[in-house]
Amino acid sequence: MKKVVAKFGGSNLKRKEDIQKLVRVIKAYDRPMVIVVSAFYGITNHLIQSLAEVKKDESQIDVLKKFLREIKEESIFENFDDEQWRHQTMSKVEDRINQLGRYLTGIHYIGDVPEFVEDVVLSYGERLSSLVLTSILQANGIDAVEALPEDMPLITDGEFGNATVNFEVSAKLVQEKLKENKIYIVPGFYGVSPEGKVTLLGRGGSDYSAAAIARCLEAESLDVWKDVDGFMSADPKLVNNPKRIKSLSYSEAAELSYFGAGILHPRTVEPLKEVGIPINISNIDTFKNKIIPGTSICGSEEISESILKSVTYSNDFCILKLRGAGVGLKQGVLAKVTSALDNAGINIKSVITSQIVINVLVSVSDIRKAFKIVEELNLSAITEIITIDKVSTIAVVGEGMLEKPGISGKLFMALAQKSINVQMIISGASSVASYFIVSSDDREKAIAAIHDEFFK
Ligand code: ASP
Ligand code: MG
């Protein structure tokens, strides 16, 4: 029997009652499976902040250990009242927190956080989740066992902070490690390099961990549990009558995630699309007894009547505008710019060029650095560099978008009627998505205008 991989994220691990909900869901599956968990809500951010404090102040180590102990104690005490079980579980938690403490002491004394140590430290949010959850499931009579990525091992390309899983090497190892008919609990967010060092899979990366494990196991499905129903036609906070999307193609889901729909990490689709493993999104808050996904993502490339399935936005695309009379025709300018940005570890989200301007789109957190890097290149072809950061990227997504005439006309007419100025339009790069850039002040108006036009 094929396994199901289910992923529970920080939003499912926020309040005390959340764990009981999770236990009910796992009982409802009633089959051997693999569960991938994130850190409890907010813990990874807390660890990041503590790292900086611990470097300067040794007493912060105990402050952090106490904080983690209290959170875990709360979920342990809330979920079972067997004294012996509580004691045993707390003592395992204590051991794991002490392991973390030793890394932190090292950091304090060397006064630095080498990247390979940073990745280990930040993985402790997930390690504590998997430990506690395994114990709670066992106390509920479930045959659960914790499986750490380093024990499989789940092998990555070794890039610290943002690694990619090597499926070819990992598949057999993961299958072997998770082969029994049990419930395996795996901490998400990291794998290990070929040398055995912990490598994080990028912020929000436990969706990707779960996808990677599903791929290695050739799972029946990847079930991602959330506190919302699934993908919607737009952010329900911004529009009237948002519609739930029952089914999406892999490409639609990947583009929506890339352009800001916060349901899935953008990298979740990539490992599963190639092998056709479906992704189901379900809401834990509305779960009763049966598992009925809100959105299913699979190979079917269904064209909807309105063509558009969803409109989404991201505030994380800034523009680096490089002006120069002939940048478009001059050979090598773009190559020099993109290589320099790449060498500095900056991800380029999009490039739009013309004869007199090259627009490079990068993340908010990279825009200042990107400006400096291009400035230092001192290229004679570039006469002016401008950064534009008060913008939002709005994307419309739907299979069949490029084939049907009139979609763009309808879209931009809706915006024009609300006097929204479109600063840049990018269409045709993907067969299922078009996106455009507006001032961030116009973002909400633009989303509402498009939604009203296409989803009346
Ligand atoms: N805990 C990690 C983060 O906050 C991974 C995740 O939640 O998916 O980035
Ligand atoms: Mg997440």
PDB file of all heavy atoms in Angstrom, residues 348-373:
ATOM      1  N   ILE A 348      17.310  36.584  -8.543  1.00  0.00           N
ATOM      2  CA  ILE A 348      16.604  37.489  -9.453  1.00  0.00           C
ATOM      3  C   ILE A 348      15.226  36.895  -9.736  1.00  0.00           C
ATOM      4  O   ILE A 348      15.112  35.758 -10.178  1.00  0.00           O
ATOM      5  CB  ILE A 348      17.408  37.659 -10.753  1.00  0.00           C
ATOM      6  CG1 ILE A 348      18.739  38.322 -10.401  1.00  0.00           C
ATOM      7  CG2 ILE A 348      16.638  38.488 -11.769  1.00  0.00           C
ATOM      8  CD1 ILE A 348      19.733  38.308 -11.524  1.00  0.00           C
ATOM      9  N   LYS A 349      14.189  37.688  -9.444  1.00  0.00           N
ATOM     10  CA  LYS A 349      12.829  37.142  -9.576  1.00  0.00           C
ATOM     11  C   LYS A 349      12.278  37.312 -10.985  1.00  0.00           C
ATOM     12  O   LYS A 349      11.408  36.567 -11.408  1.00  0.00           O
ATOM     13  CB  LYS A 349      11.924  37.835  -8.576  1.00  0.00           C
ATOM     14  CG  LYS A 349      12.355  37.578  -7.135  1.00  0.00           C
ATOM     15  CD  LYS A 349      11.398  38.199  -6.167  1.00  0.00           C
ATOM     16  CE  LYS A 349      11.217  37.306  -4.974  1.00  0.00           C
ATOM     17  NZ  LYS A 349      10.033  37.637  -4.210  1.00  0.00           N
ATOM     18  N   SER A 350      12.754  38.333 -11.690  1.00  0.00           N
ATOM     19  CA  SER A 350      12.319  38.524 -13.064  1.00  0.00           C
ATOM     20  C   SER A 350      13.232  39.566 -13.700  1.00  0.00           C
ATOM     21  O   SER A 350      13.846  40.374 -12.996  1.00  0.00           O
ATOM     22  CB  SER A 350      10.865  39.010 -13.073  1.00  0.00           C
ATOM     23  OG  SER A 350      10.386  39.102 -14.397  1.00  0.00           O
ATOM     24  N   VAL A 351      13.312  39.550 -15.030  1.00  0.00           N
ATOM     25  CA  VAL A 351      14.073  40.577 -15.755  1.00  0.00           C
ATOM     26  C   VAL A 351      13.220  41.040 -16.929  1.00  0.00           C
ATOM     27  O   VAL A 351      12.685  40.213 -17.666  1.00  0.00           O
ATOM     28  CB  VAL A 351      15.398  40.012 -16.316  1.00  0.00           C
ATOM     29  CG1 VAL A 351      16.170  41.096 -17.058  1.00  0.00           C
ATOM     30  CG2 VAL A 351      16.251  39.431 -15.218  1.00  0.00           C
ATOM     31  N   ILE A 352      13.061  42.350 -17.074  1.00  0.00           N
ATOM     32  CA  ILE A 352      12.296  42.887 -18.204  1.00  0.00           C
ATOM     33  C   ILE A 352      13.165  43.969 -18.832  1.00  0.00           C
ATOM     34  O   ILE A 352      13.560  44.925 -18.163  1.00  0.00           O
ATOM     35  CB  ILE A 352      10.950  43.491 -17.737  1.00  0.00           C
ATOM     36  CG1 ILE A 352      10.167  42.437 -16.941  1.00  0.00           C
ATOM     37  CG2 ILE A 352      10.108  43.977 -18.904  1.00  0.00           C
ATOM     38  CD1 ILE A 352       9.955  42.782 -15.520  1.00  0.00           C
ATOM     39  N   THR A 353      13.461  43.791 -20.126  1.00  0.00           N
ATOM     40  CA  THR A 353      14.402  44.725 -20.738  1.00  0.00           C
ATOM     41  C   THR A 353      13.796  45.444 -21.948  1.00  0.00           C
ATOM     42  O   THR A 353      12.826  44.991 -22.548  1.00  0.00           O
ATOM     43  CB  THR A 353      15.670  44.005 -21.239  1.00  0.00           C
ATOM     44  OG1 THR A 353      15.281  43.155 -22.296  1.00  0.00           O
ATOM     45  CG2 THR A 353      16.324  43.206 -20.158  1.00  0.00           C
ATOM     46  N   SER A 354      14.423  46.585 -22.296  1.00  0.00           N
ATOM     47  CA  SER A 354      14.111  47.289 -23.540  1.00  0.00           C
ATOM     48  C   SER A 354      15.436  47.868 -24.038  1.00  0.00           C
ATOM     49  O   SER A 354      16.488  47.590 -23.450  1.00  0.00           O
ATOM     50  CB  SER A 354      13.091  48.400 -23.275  1.00  0.00           C
ATOM     51  OG  SER A 354      13.748  49.492 -22.675  1.00  0.00           O
ATOM     52  N   GLN A 355      15.399  48.688 -25.053  1.00  0.00           N
ATOM     53  CA  GLN A 355      16.639  49.246 -25.573  1.00  0.00           C
ATOM     54  C   GLN A 355      17.301  50.211 -24.571  1.00  0.00           C
ATOM     55  O   GLN A 355      18.504  50.299 -24.482  1.00  0.00           O
ATOM     56  CB  GLN A 355      16.362  49.943 -26.929  1.00  0.00           C
ATOM     57  CG  GLN A 355      17.450  50.870 -27.440  1.00  0.00           C
ATOM     58  CD  GLN A 355      18.758  50.135 -27.798  1.00  0.00           C
ATOM     59  OE1 GLN A 355      19.008  48.991 -27.398  1.00  0.00           O
ATOM     60  NE2 GLN A 355      19.610  50.803 -28.534  1.00  0.00           N
ATOM     61  N   ILE A 356      16.485  50.920 -23.778  1.00  0.00           N
ATOM     62  CA  ILE A 356      17.085  51.933 -22.896  1.00  0.00           C
ATOM     63  C   ILE A 356      17.008  51.600 -21.408  1.00  0.00           C
ATOM     64  O   ILE A 356      17.570  52.301 -20.581  1.00  0.00           O
ATOM     65  CB  ILE A 356      16.447  53.328 -23.146  1.00  0.00           C
ATOM     66  CG1 ILE A 356      14.929  53.272 -22.949  1.00  0.00           C
ATOM     67  CG2 ILE A 356      16.801  53.856 -24.524  1.00  0.00           C
ATOM     68  CD1 ILE A 356      14.295  54.648 -22.809  1.00  0.00           C
ATOM     69  N   VAL A 357      16.341  50.522 -21.054  1.00  0.00           N
ATOM     70  CA  VAL A 357      16.234  50.158 -19.622  1.00  0.00           C
ATOM     71  C   VAL A 357      16.296  48.646 -19.438  1.00  0.00           C
ATOM     72  O   VAL A 357      15.721  47.892 -20.214  1.00  0.00           O
ATOM     73  CB  VAL A 357      14.871  50.609 -19.005  1.00  0.00           C
ATOM     74  CG1 VAL A 357      14.892  50.430 -17.491  1.00  0.00           C
ATOM     75  CG2 VAL A 357      14.526  52.023 -19.350  1.00  0.00           C
ATOM     76  N   ILE A 358      17.003  48.255 -18.367  1.00  0.00           N
ATOM     77  CA  ILE A 358      16.902  46.864 -17.903  1.00  0.00           C
ATOM     78  C   ILE A 358      16.249  46.932 -16.530  1.00  0.00           C
ATOM     79  O   ILE A 358      16.732  47.644 -15.643  1.00  0.00           O
ATOM     80  CB  ILE A 358      18.296  46.211 -17.759  1.00  0.00           C
ATOM     81  CG1 ILE A 358      18.981  46.125 -19.130  1.00  0.00           C
ATOM     82  CG2 ILE A 358      18.194  44.845 -17.121  1.00  0.00           C
ATOM     83  CD1 ILE A 358      20.417  45.592 -19.056  1.00  0.00           C
ATOM     84  N   ASN A 359      15.154  46.231 -16.350  1.00  0.00           N
ATOM     85  CA  ASN A 359      14.507  46.157 -15.037  1.00  0.00           C
ATOM     86  C   ASN A 359      14.795  44.791 -14.439  1.00  0.00           C
ATOM     87  O   ASN A 359      14.463  43.768 -15.040  1.00  0.00           O
ATOM     88  CB  ASN A 359      12.991  46.304 -15.169  1.00  0.00           C
ATOM     89  CG  ASN A 359      12.604  47.678 -15.671  1.00  0.00           C
ATOM     90  OD1 ASN A 359      12.662  48.651 -14.929  1.00  0.00           O
ATOM     91  ND2 ASN A 359      12.223  47.759 -16.942  1.00  0.00           N
ATOM     92  N   VAL A 360      15.411  44.812 -13.268  1.00  0.00           N
ATOM     93  CA  VAL A 360      15.673  43.549 -12.584  1.00  0.00           C
ATOM     94  C   VAL A 360      14.792  43.533 -11.349  1.00  0.00           C
ATOM     95  O   VAL A 360      14.820  44.478 -10.554  1.00  0.00           O
ATOM     96  CB  VAL A 360      17.162  43.454 -12.180  1.00  0.00           C
ATOM     97  CG1 VAL A 360      17.453  42.121 -11.531  1.00  0.00           C
ATOM     98  CG2 VAL A 360      18.065  43.669 -13.381  1.00  0.00           C
ATOM     99  N   LEU A 361      14.007  42.488 -11.185  1.00  0.00           N
ATOM    100  CA  LEU A 361      13.110  42.416 -10.031  1.00  0.00           C
ATOM    101  C   LEU A 361      13.727  41.511  -8.966  1.00  0.00           C
ATOM    102  O   LEU A 361      14.061  40.357  -9.252  1.00  0.00           O
ATOM    103  CB  LEU A 361      11.737  41.879 -10.466  1.00  0.00           C
ATOM    104  CG  LEU A 361      10.710  42.919 -10.949  1.00  0.00           C
ATOM    105  CD1 LEU A 361      11.284  43.876 -11.968  1.00  0.00           C
ATOM    106  CD2 LEU A 361       9.475  42.246 -11.512  1.00  0.00           C
ATOM    107  N   VAL A 362      13.887  42.083  -7.783  1.00  0.00           N
ATOM    108  CA  VAL A 362      14.466  41.296  -6.682  1.00  0.00           C
ATOM    109  C   VAL A 362      13.618  41.481  -5.423  1.00  0.00           C
ATOM    110  O   VAL A 362      12.747  42.341  -5.373  1.00  0.00           O
ATOM    111  CB  VAL A 362      15.936  41.708  -6.373  1.00  0.00           C
ATOM    112  CG1 VAL A 362      16.838  41.456  -7.552  1.00  0.00           C
ATOM    113  CG2 VAL A 362      16.028  43.164  -5.927  1.00  0.00           C
ATOM    114  N   SER A 363      13.930  40.687  -4.403  1.00  0.00           N
ATOM    115  CA  SER A 363      13.182  40.743  -3.146  1.00  0.00           C
ATOM    116  C   SER A 363      13.483  42.043  -2.380  1.00  0.00           C
ATOM    117  O   SER A 363      14.565  42.620  -2.523  1.00  0.00           O
ATOM    118  CB  SER A 363      13.609  39.534  -2.329  1.00  0.00           C
ATOM    119  OG  SER A 363      13.123  39.610  -1.053  1.00  0.00           O
ATOM    120  N   VAL A 364      12.540  42.466  -1.550  1.00  0.00           N
ATOM    121  CA  VAL A 364      12.722  43.666  -0.723  1.00  0.00           C
ATOM    122  C   VAL A 364      14.026  43.581   0.075  1.00  0.00           C
ATOM    123  O   VAL A 364      14.777  44.554   0.184  1.00  0.00           O
ATOM    124  CB  VAL A 364      11.563  43.796   0.318  1.00  0.00           C
ATOM    125  CG1 VAL A 364      11.712  45.039   1.168  1.00  0.00           C
ATOM    126  CG2 VAL A 364      10.219  43.749  -0.357  1.00  0.00           C
ATOM    127  N   SER A 365      14.288  42.383   0.611  1.00  0.00           N
ATOM    128  CA  SER A 365      15.463  42.266   1.478  1.00  0.00           C
ATOM    129  C   SER A 365      16.767  42.373   0.676  1.00  0.00           C
ATOM    130  O   SER A 365      17.839  42.522   1.251  1.00  0.00           O
ATOM    131  CB  SER A 365      15.419  40.940   2.229  1.00  0.00           C
ATOM    132  OG  SER A 365      15.304  39.897   1.296  1.00  0.00           O
ATOM    133  N   ASP A 366      16.706  42.297  -0.646  1.00  0.00           N
ATOM    134  CA  ASP A 366      17.930  42.339  -1.464  1.00  0.00           C
ATOM    135  C   ASP A 366      18.127  43.649  -2.214  1.00  0.00           C
ATOM    136  O   ASP A 366      19.190  43.860  -2.805  1.00  0.00           O
ATOM    137  CB  ASP A 366      17.901  41.207  -2.509  1.00  0.00           C
ATOM    138  CG  ASP A 366      18.069  39.838  -1.883  1.00  0.00           C
ATOM    139  OD1 ASP A 366      18.732  39.754  -0.833  1.00  0.00           O
ATOM    140  OD2 ASP A 366      17.543  38.862  -2.448  1.00  0.00           O
ATOM    141  N   ILE A 367      17.125  44.511  -2.227  1.00  0.00           N
ATOM    142  CA  ILE A 367      17.181  45.629  -3.177  1.00  0.00           C
ATOM    143  C   ILE A 367      18.345  46.594  -2.905  1.00  0.00           C
ATOM    144  O   ILE A 367      19.047  47.012  -3.827  1.00  0.00           O
ATOM    145  CB  ILE A 367      15.806  46.362  -3.278  1.00  0.00           C
ATOM    146  CG1 ILE A 367      15.811  47.438  -4.360  1.00  0.00           C
ATOM    147  CG2 ILE A 367      15.344  46.953  -1.970  1.00  0.00           C
ATOM    148  CD1 ILE A 367      15.626  46.923  -5.735  1.00  0.00           C
ATOM    149  N   ARG A 368      18.589  46.928  -1.625  1.00  0.00           N
ATOM    150  CA  ARG A 368      19.702  47.867  -1.323  1.00  0.00           C
ATOM    151  C   ARG A 368      21.040  47.279  -1.747  1.00  0.00           C
ATOM    152  O   ARG A 368      21.867  47.928  -2.356  1.00  0.00           O
ATOM    153  CB  ARG A 368      19.759  48.202   0.177  1.00  0.00           C
ATOM    154  CG  ARG A 368      18.559  48.895   0.706  1.00  0.00           C
ATOM    155  CD  ARG A 368      18.573  50.411   0.463  1.00  0.00           C
ATOM    156  NE  ARG A 368      17.230  50.851   0.189  1.00  0.00           N
ATOM    157  CZ  ARG A 368      16.806  51.492  -0.910  1.00  0.00           C
ATOM    158  NH1 ARG A 368      17.642  51.810  -1.864  1.00  0.00           N
ATOM    159  NH2 ARG A 368      15.557  51.818  -1.068  1.00  0.00           N
ATOM    160  N   LYS A 369      21.211  46.009  -1.373  1.00  0.00           N
ATOM    161  CA  LYS A 369      22.472  45.332  -1.696  1.00  0.00           C
ATOM    162  C   LYS A 369      22.640  45.254  -3.221  1.00  0.00           C
ATOM    163  O   LYS A 369      23.731  45.509  -3.758  1.00  0.00           O
ATOM    164  CB  LYS A 369      22.432  43.929  -1.086  1.00  0.00           C
ATOM    165  CG  LYS A 369      23.726  43.192  -1.090  1.00  0.00           C
ATOM    166  CD  LYS A 369      23.595  41.970  -0.177  1.00  0.00           C
ATOM    167  CE  LYS A 369      24.607  40.903  -0.496  1.00  0.00           C
ATOM    168  NZ  LYS A 369      24.218  39.596   0.016  1.00  0.00           N
ATOM    169  N   ALA A 370      21.543  44.952  -3.909  1.00  0.00           N
ATOM    170  CA  ALA A 370      21.606  44.828  -5.371  1.00  0.00           C
ATOM    171  C   ALA A 370      22.025  46.164  -5.992  1.00  0.00           C
ATOM    172  O   ALA A 370      22.844  46.218  -6.919  1.00  0.00           O
ATOM    173  CB  ALA A 370      20.245  44.385  -5.911  1.00  0.00           C
ATOM    174  N   PHE A 371      21.490  47.248  -5.472  1.00  0.00           N
ATOM    175  CA  PHE A 371      21.834  48.586  -5.973  1.00  0.00           C
ATOM    176  C   PHE A 371      23.345  48.806  -5.852  1.00  0.00           C
ATOM    177  O   PHE A 371      24.029  49.189  -6.797  1.00  0.00           O
ATOM    178  CB  PHE A 371      21.068  49.650  -5.168  1.00  0.00           C
ATOM    179  CG  PHE A 371      21.405  51.058  -5.551  1.00  0.00           C
ATOM    180  CD1 PHE A 371      20.690  51.713  -6.545  1.00  0.00           C
ATOM    181  CD2 PHE A 371      22.451  51.736  -4.929  1.00  0.00           C
ATOM    182  CE1 PHE A 371      20.999  53.016  -6.916  1.00  0.00           C
ATOM    183  CE2 PHE A 371      22.775  53.034  -5.289  1.00  0.00           C
ATOM    184  CZ  PHE A 371      22.045  53.679  -6.282  1.00  0.00           C
ATOM    185  N   LYS A 372      23.871  48.532  -4.668  1.00  0.00           N
ATOM    186  CA  LYS A 372      25.303  48.767  -4.419  1.00  0.00           C
ATOM    187  C   LYS A 372      26.186  47.922  -5.337  1.00  0.00           C
ATOM    188  O   LYS A 372      27.198  48.383  -5.867  1.00  0.00           O
ATOM    189  CB  LYS A 372      25.643  48.407  -2.957  1.00  0.00           C
ATOM    190  CG  LYS A 372      25.461  49.591  -2.022  1.00  0.00           C
ATOM    191  CD  LYS A 372      26.201  49.396  -0.726  1.00  0.00           C
ATOM    192  CE  LYS A 372      27.686  49.759  -0.889  1.00  0.00           C
ATOM    193  NZ  LYS A 372      28.513  49.184   0.137  1.00  0.00           N
ATOM    194  N   ILE A 373      25.770  46.679  -5.520  1.00  0.00           N
ATOM    195  CA  ILE A 373      26.578  45.771  -6.353  1.00  0.00           C
ATOM    196  C   ILE A 373      26.652  46.280  -7.793  1.00  0.00           C
ATOM    197  O   ILE A 373      27.726  46.324  -8.392  1.00  0.00           O
ATOM    198  CB  ILE A 373      25.999  44.349  -6.283  1.00  0.00           C
ATOM    199  CG1 ILE A 373      26.355  43.765  -4.921  1.00  0.00           C
ATOM    200  CG2 ILE A 373      26.520  43.463  -7.401  1.00  0.00           C
ATOM    201  CD1 ILE A 373      25.605  42.538  -4.562  1.00  0.00           C
TER     202      ILE A 373
END
